[in-house]
Amino acid sequence: MSRPRKAQALTADEIRRLGVFLHHRTGMIFGEAKRYYIERRIADRMAATGMRTFNAYFAHVEADRREVEQLINIFTVNETYFYREEHQLRCLSRSLLPGIIQDREPGDLVRIWSVPCSTGEEPYSIAIWLLENWPLVDAYHIEIVGSDIDTQVLLDAQAGDYGERALSRLPPDVVERYFEPSHDGQRSLIQDLRESVKFTSANLVDPASVAAQGQFDVIFCRNVLIYFDDSSRLLAVDNLYRSLHPGGYICLGHTESMTRISKRFSLRRFEDAIVYQRPGSDRDG
């Protein structure tokens, strides 16, 4: 057994430089309060690239777009599991979708976006939930898109392999229907379900990256805005606003409140959840 790699102590200025770099590219805040977290992850990347000092590694990052991607990947937070905040899934099938399809014909497109999607549990949960709980799921063209800034978790999501913890909230019969036994106690999502979700790379604080995803009827953007500062949070929310069709809905995490960030959305209280709606008659400037 090898010993854990010893993290190199970073100076206050090095922490600041890295924090500015990450904030500019992701909107997330990293500073002295997260020193241990930062030093461990930088030590891993320095070892992987053969760099002996922070300055050498940082120069490498600035010169290599691929290393920027790797650096961002190790600093993203990927805590998730199937059927997380299930009440919002109930709201989706009981309230949001029935309202959305009032002006649609059978066969019309309905788009749902999970961002950030991490390793895929959320967008796959949406697909499974609708198959299990929305009788009209086959009557419309449901497109589910999962997006994340972390390119490694997108690869994991596409692979569709999950352990016991990720599946622990799913009813046993649902696990049996949609997951096949794999290796080392893992289960693999059946191919039909893996093909039902499209995965893309997206950065919530990059307007072009968000615009490239198109517009959606429902967006699940849960438990990420809490990691942004005020300016990045507002930028992300403005990008999300433009990504919704007029009248579309956004679901946030249970500790997040859109009313503290932007007045552009209307708060809607449904039987199962509080969500936020883009007004249906507005016009973008």
Side-chain angles (χ1 to χ4, degrees), residues 13-34:
D13 183 62
E14 289 168 343
I15 293 284
R16 183 195 61 78
R17 288 171 62 198
L18 180 65
V20 169
F21 185 87
L22 289 170
H23 176 258
H24 177 68
R25 284 159 180 80
T26 71
M28 294 185 291
I29 300 299
F30 294 96
E32 279 290 343
K34 297 181 179 179

Side-chain angles (χ1 to χ4, degrees), residues 63-76:
D64 189 338
R65 183 177 299 177
R66 292 169 299 180
E67 185 57 29
V68 173
E69 182 178 293
Q70 293 300 318
L71 180 64
I72 289 172
N73 286 355
I74 64 169
F75 276 95
T76 52

